Amino acid sequence: MPHRTQTDSRMLLRRLRDTLAQGSPGQERLDRITTIIAESMHTDVCSVYLFRDPDTLELCATEGLKPESVHHTRLRLGEGLVGKAARLARPINTANAPAEAGFRYMPETGEDVFTSFLGVPIQRLGERLGVLVVQSRESRLYSEDEIYGLEVVAMVLAEMTELGAFVGMSADMPSPHMSQAVLHGITAQEGEAEGHVWLHQPRVVITNLVNDDSEAELERLQQAVNALRVSVDDMLAATRSRDKEHTEVLQTYRMFAHSRGWLKRMEEDIRLGLSAEAAVEKEQSEARARLETVPDAYLRDRLHDLDDLSNRLLRILTGQGNETGAEMPERPILVARNIGPGELLEYGRKLRGVVLEEGSVGSHAAIVARALAIPLVINVPRITTEALNGDHILVDGTEGVVHLRPDDSISSAFRDKMAMQAKAQERYASLRDKPATALCGTRIRLKMNAGLMADLPSLPSSGAEAVGLFRTELQFLIRDKMPKRSELVANYTRVLDAAQGKKVYFRTLDIGSDKVMPYMKRPDEPNPAMGWRALRVGLDKPGVLRMQLQALIRAAAGRPLSVMFPLVAQAGEFDRARDVLMRELDRERRLGHALPEKIDVGTMLETPSLAYAPDSFFQNVDFISIGGNDLKQFFFAADRENELVRRRYDTLNLSFLTFLQHIVDRCHAAGTDLSFCGEDAGRPLDALAFAGIGIQGLSMRPASIGPVKSLIRRANLNEVTEIIARCSARGLESARPALLDYVASLP
Ligand code: PEP
Ligand code: MG
């Protein structure tokens, strides 16, 4: 870039900064800014279009177009060249605007005399704010230097907008972070919550956008980059080489931290007048904008890595850490791009809800949120850029919707909904000590699923008869190193103590697939859900399984113990697992530890194959619990974590119900105790159908016990059985519509 342009650019930025420093009203500032830019860039027109809602751009200030069009001319996102620059998040540069595809003539602006057009998006960290446009009479293409220069100016405008520099320019123009926003995501844990935003990673606030001394600023950037490189090297050295995934991420960080291209672009921004932090953020914003348009998962991950690294660099430059000194608001709702299970657990029960910009339904964070029974909505676009600490927020975990800064009518409708649910909860609470006995007299045993000590307090209040599934892997997942046996003993002892004599079905470690422990070596597998996971690992490398069984025996300390093995696919695997348990019992006896008074050894049924195991298997096993989450994914060949297919097949599909019926019949014939512990057991209609086909134990999250019990007590299971049989005889695909009609007809 020629020296003159750099000087021009620096002067322009300083004039913009001075305008910002003057205490004039927002509109005056913006008008002045367009004049300064047009002058500095020697163009006939400079206009600023800002979003008034996510779909509409409004001309907010102009030098050169007709003043009466300001706050009148509006374009939809993607409409005209201005809308196109915003939608594509990249500059549009043309010497002959009217001939350009998508051009839209706006007569009220008087723009017909201006032939050349350059529009660059005004964006901040992936958030579209508007478009900055220059136009000239003369037909010419703007140079690369001019485009780059205008992008730098647009970055400063974005920051000014964020800082509220233009607030009040027009009465009906929304100010940033002031207006309400309805954001749609995906439900990962149902429930509703009202509260205030607490940002997991508070954003870095940049107050000095423009530099006074480029050389000094370049030096600051270099020092910060050096510090960043050292910190990445330190992190790499501290990571055990066994942790392949983490090491790979850090190596990518390292690659970016040493990337000449990245540094060069930031240096160029500084030479054009930006401060070091503004330069980092400009590059970060552009990477985020690219992120939105990149479909390739690998590339998206890399852009995320670059985003993380930029955040680190910004924190080094500004000295702003995660600790801002701000006080956590009342009824905090955590907002984050993503969060690890350990971090989430640290916030624990303080939180009313969680909203994530990314995440997946089966992630560890989702598992912890489920254990904490707080609503979780994931994949909510823009939430971390839209929300500010302390903002009023409503989380509708059931619908997967988040209302940020809602108006009074939305808040009151939401509160009505919560009040209705609270009433229903009260009704359920009155059923707490009543059995789940249907009108026909059949009693269903309702149990709860748990995985953390945090779950246990809900056992007495839930009305559950037992803990039907205790997922022991959570204890392993939330730590950064393998727990010791003594720690496990202490943990399981607390669980059994808290259960106060109610049965706890401890499921041995179910790792692999989606549940990956950071400290354990994991092979690269093409399809981990069907790979080396759960009991397969336990049998091939029995060290951890044995330690866990020893801990369970010691924790039982003479009390009854129930042990359940995950993902058993054939009878022989169950036999071998039980042999391992028997050997450990023998060893513990020899070591002088008290043995459980009674021990039940059972299995999850999560693969269709086990439903066809020999009769002897059904006779030998003490109990079976259907792991419907996995069983359904294998039955329909539909990945439980893939949004595209996970809801494709109905649990009440008659093929699936017929298959479940087969399992029921085999268990009845052998006298084997049968339960169902997948998520579907907590959905009242599904639970009713399971009970109708003869599954008499249902284990679910505590909050579902009330609704399920209430429905079962109103229903006659013989009628449910008949309805399902009729649907099957008629060749219907699903029993759901007929069962819904039945439930609607109940008094
Ligand atoms: C299941 O598969 O249904 C189950 C309960 O186990 P998890 O969800 O932990 O895989
Ligand atoms: Mg499972």
Side-chain angles (χ1 to χ4, degrees):
M1 176 170 285
H3 180 67
R4 215 184 76 76
T5 316
Q6 284 182 7
T7 313
D8 284 351
S9 173
R10 280 204 299 273
M11 274 173 50
L12 169 57
L13 295 196
R14 279 177 211 159
R15 287 177 71 191
L16 294 181
R17 179 182 60 187
D18 294 345
T19 313
L20 183 62
Q22 285 158 12
S24 38
Q27 185 66 51
E28 248 174 61
R29 271 185 178 154
L30 205 56
D31 292 343
R32 173 116 195 85
I33 281 171
T34 51
T35 311
I36 295 173
I37 298 173
E39 244 173 59
S40 165
M41 299 208 39
H42 309 292
T43 57
D44 299 315
V45 176
C46 171
S47 310
V48 173
Y49 295 80
L50 295 176
F51 278 100
R52 55 175 297 119
D53 62 55
D55 281 324
T56 319
L57 283 151
E58 179 169 308
L59 176 63
C60 288
T62 184
E63 169 66 41
L65 298 183
K66 287 189 181 157
E68 54 272 28
S69 56
V70 169
H71 295 304
H72 288 289
T73 292
R74 289 180 188 165
L75 290 150
R76 303 200 53 82
L77 178 65
E79 186 184 352
L81 299 185
V82 174
K84 195 168 159 187
R87 183 170 58 80
L88 300 177
R90 63 171 167 75
I92 303 282
N93 181 15
T94 170
N96 187 0
E100 198 67 23
F103 174 79
R104 179 179 170 283
Y105 176 49
M106 296 176 290
E108 72 281 11
T109 62
E111 67 170 347
D112 45 329
V113 292
F114 306 110
T115 321
S116 51
F117 173 102
L118 169 61
V120 300
I122 304 172
Q123 60 197 5
R124 185 180 180 278
L125 300 178
E127 187 182 8
R128 294 183 177 121
L129 299 171
V131 180
L132 173 61
V133 176
V134 291
Q135 291 172 277
S136 297
R137 278 196 175 78
E138 148 203 24
S139 171
R140 70 177 181 103
L141 215 51
Y142 292 92
S143 68
E144 283 296 311
D145 291 344
E146 284 170 313
I147 299 174
Y148 204 90
L150 200 63
E151 283 180 327
V152 167
V153 173
M155 192 273 161
V156 173
L157 281 186
E159 285 301 317
M160 287 176 153
T161 312
E162 174 71 14
L163 293 170
F166 312 125
V167 169
M169 66 183 146
S170 152
D172 65 346
M173 191 75 185
S175 310
H177 309 293
M178 302 285 273
S179 54
Q180 62 169 323
V182 183
L183 305 170
H184 294 262
I186 293 172
T187 295
Q189 163 70 23
E190 289 162 15
E192 281 75 32
E194 175 175 14
H196 298 100
V197 169
W198 180 249
L199 290 169
H200 178 50
Q201 285 199 314
R203 79 188 64 196
V204 175
V205 183
I206 300 179
T207 42
N208 62 327
L209 299 166
V210 176
N211 77 54
D212 286 312
D213 176 351
S214 296
E215 288 310 313
E217 211 60 11
L218 286 170
E219 180 58 29
R220 272 186 71 222
L221 178 70
Q222 189 59 57
Q223 279 177 7
V225 168
N226 289 347
L228 177 74
R229 288 174 180 166
V230 170
S231 78
V232 172
D233 286 347
D234 287 351
M235 283 191 287
L236 253 172
T239 305
R240 291 183 206 121
S241 54
R242 287 191 297 142
D243 185 356
K244 200 165 157 234
E245 202 171 0
H246 193 201
T247 308
E248 268 172 18
V249 169
L250 288 175
Q251 272 162 350
T252 312
Y253 279 9
R254 195 166 184 279
M255 192 188 79
F256 281 127
H258 287 266
S259 146
R260 271 306 304 158
W262 187 45
L263 190 58
K264 246 175 89 181
R265 280 194 303 280
M266 292 189 291
E267 286 171 348
E268 189 70 350
D269 298 333
I270 291 175
R271 287 196 190 96
L272 289 173
L274 289 184
S275 66
E277 35 278 73
V280 177
E281 198 173 278
K282 174 171 176 286
E283 295 311 316
Q284 189 180 14
S285 285
E286 280 166 22
R288 283 238 187 135
R290 280 203 297 280
L291 196 67
E292 302 247 310
T293 57
V294 170
D296 181 276
Y298 177 80
L299 273 182
R300 286 177 64 87
D301 279 352
R302 296 295 73 81
L303 284 169
H304 272 320
D305 293 341
L306 181 59
D307 197 55
D308 280 342
L309 205 69
S310 305
N311 275 334
R312 284 171 196 271
L313 191 54
L314 277 178
R315 291 192 191 285
I316 293 173
L317 278 165
T318 58
Q320 294 172 29
N322 277 350
E323 290 301 324
T324 58
E327 241 180 66
M328 194 181 255
E330 265 180 55
R331 297 179 290 158
I333 307 258
L334 190 80
V335 171
R337 210 177 78 196
N338 216 338
I339 189 165
E343 290 169 306
L344 184 52
L345 204 65
E346 257 172 48
Y347 287 108
R349 293 202 176 271
K350 278 191 278 217
L351 299 179
R352 292 295 175 100
V354 182
V355 182
L356 300 181
E357 200 157 304
E358 299 172 359
S360 70
V361 175
S363 68
H364 303 161
I367 296 170
V368 171
R370 240 165 261 153
L372 293 170
I374 45 178
L376 168 65
V377 182
I378 59 169
N379 293 1
V380 181
R382 298 188 293 117
I383 186 71
T384 56
T385 36
E386 268 288 341
L388 291 184
N389 259 345
D391 275 349
H392 183 201
I393 184 171
L394 309 174
V395 181
D396 187 337
T398 311
E399 300 294 329
V401 177
V402 174
H403 300 271
L404 196 59
R405 303 177 287 264
D407 65 20
D408 289 347
S409 64
I410 293 192
S411 302
S412 74
F414 192 82
R415 282 181 200 136
D416 287 349
K417 187 171 165 185
M418 283 178 57
M420 262 167 60
Q421 268 153 6
K423 262 216 177 96
Q425 285 303 335
E426 271 172 34
R427 242 192 7 257
Y428 300 144
S430 69
L431 295 179
R432 196 186 60 195
D433 300 318
K434 304 215 165 99
T437 304
L439 296 179
C440 52
T442 306
R443 179 173 172 172
I444 305 298
R445 286 164 288 116
L446 302 187
K447 308 178 238 186
M448 67 173 250
N449 292 348
L452 293 167
M453 249 329 270
D455 300 331
L456 269 296
S458 37
L459 180 54
S461 60
S462 68
E465 294 185 14
V467 176
L469 165 66
F470 190 91
R471 292 180 163 105
T472 58
E473 58 276 5
L474 292 189
Q475 215 53 45
F476 286 74
L477 291 174
I478 57 177
R479 312 170 61 113
D480 50 16
K481 59 179 195 300
M482 175 79 79
K484 295 198 191 88
R485 183 179 57 195
S486 56
E487 290 166 333
L488 292 182
V489 175
N491 183 259
Y492 300 152
T493 303
R494 282 208 305 277
V495 171
L496 284 169
D497 290 349
Q500 297 177 356
K502 290 187 172 168
K503 257 191 176 185
V504 179
Y505 292 79
F506 286 98
R507 179 177 75 183
T508 62
L509 209 52
D510 182 2
I511 49 153
S513 184
D514 57 317
K515 298 165 190 151
V516 180
M517 293 187 288
Y519 46 86
M520 260 175 94
K521 187 168 156 45
R522 182 176 70 120
D524 265 337
E525 294 185 277
N527 194 345
M530 294 202 273
W532 196 56
R533 52 172 285 209
L535 189 66
R536 297 171 184 176
V537 181
L539 290 177
D540 297 353
K541 295 243 183 265
V544 182
L545 176 63
R546 288 185 48 209
M547 172 177 82
Q548 202 184 12
L549 293 172
Q550 290 158 11
L552 285 169
I553 297 165
R554 288 186 198 183
R559 294 176 278 194
L561 177 66
S562 303
V563 177
M564 170 156 78
F565 295 113
L567 206 81
V568 171
Q570 56 185 13
E573 287 174 333
F574 173 73
D575 295 340
R576 284 170 59 202
R578 198 182 36 193
D579 284 350
V580 177
L581 173 59
M582 292 307 149
R583 275 200 299 277
E584 294 314 318
L585 278 167
D586 200 36
R587 178 176 177 275
E588 292 300 296
R589 184 183 47 75
R590 278 188 277 111
L591 289 173
H593 293 289
L595 295 192
E597 169 196 321
K598 176 174 185 297
I599 185 153
D600 286 333
V601 194
T603 174
M604 306 274 292
L605 194 154
E606 299 178 282
T607 66
S609 59
L610 202 62
Y612 300 95
D615 289 341
S616 55
F617 163 75
F618 287 89
Q619 281 146 10
N620 289 342
V621 70
D622 291 327
F623 61 87
I624 289 178
S625 188
I626 296 173
N629 306 335
D630 273 312
L631 186 64
K632 196 176 153 197
Q633 83 165 335
F634 297 129
F635 187 79
F636 288 108
D639 187 341
R640 62 191 265 191
E641 283 197 42
N642 180 343
E643 274 311 314
L644 294 173
V645 296
R646 77 184 187 93
R647 281 187 260 234
R648 191 178 176 94
Y649 302 102
D650 189 355
T651 305
L652 302 189
N653 173 301
L654 283 150
S655 305
F656 191 54
L657 289 182
T658 307
F659 176 59
L660 293 181
Q661 182 73 63
H662 170 78
I663 299 170
V664 172
D665 294 345
R666 296 212 63 191
C667 287
H668 278 181
T672 312
D673 178 277
L674 176 67
S675 299
F676 187 109
C677 66
E679 295 301 318
D680 292 331
R683 305 200 165 95
L685 198 73
D686 302 26
L688 187 67
F690 298 156
I693 61 169
I695 302 176
Q696 295 188 349
L698 300 171
S699 193
M700 61 201 75
R701 63 192 178 98
S704 299
I705 290 180
V708 168
K709 189 187 281 187
S710 157
L711 180 57
I712 287 178
R713 287 172 58 89
R714 288 162 57 217
N716 180 328
L717 295 181
N718 295 331
E719 289 170 3
V720 174
T721 312
E722 263 174 42
I723 291 168
I724 294 173
R726 269 205 305 273
C727 290
S728 184
R730 288 175 56 202
L732 300 182
E733 195 157 81
S734 167
R736 190 170 301 275
L739 286 175
L740 274 172
D741 285 348
Y742 170 68
V743 169
S745 74
L746 294 176

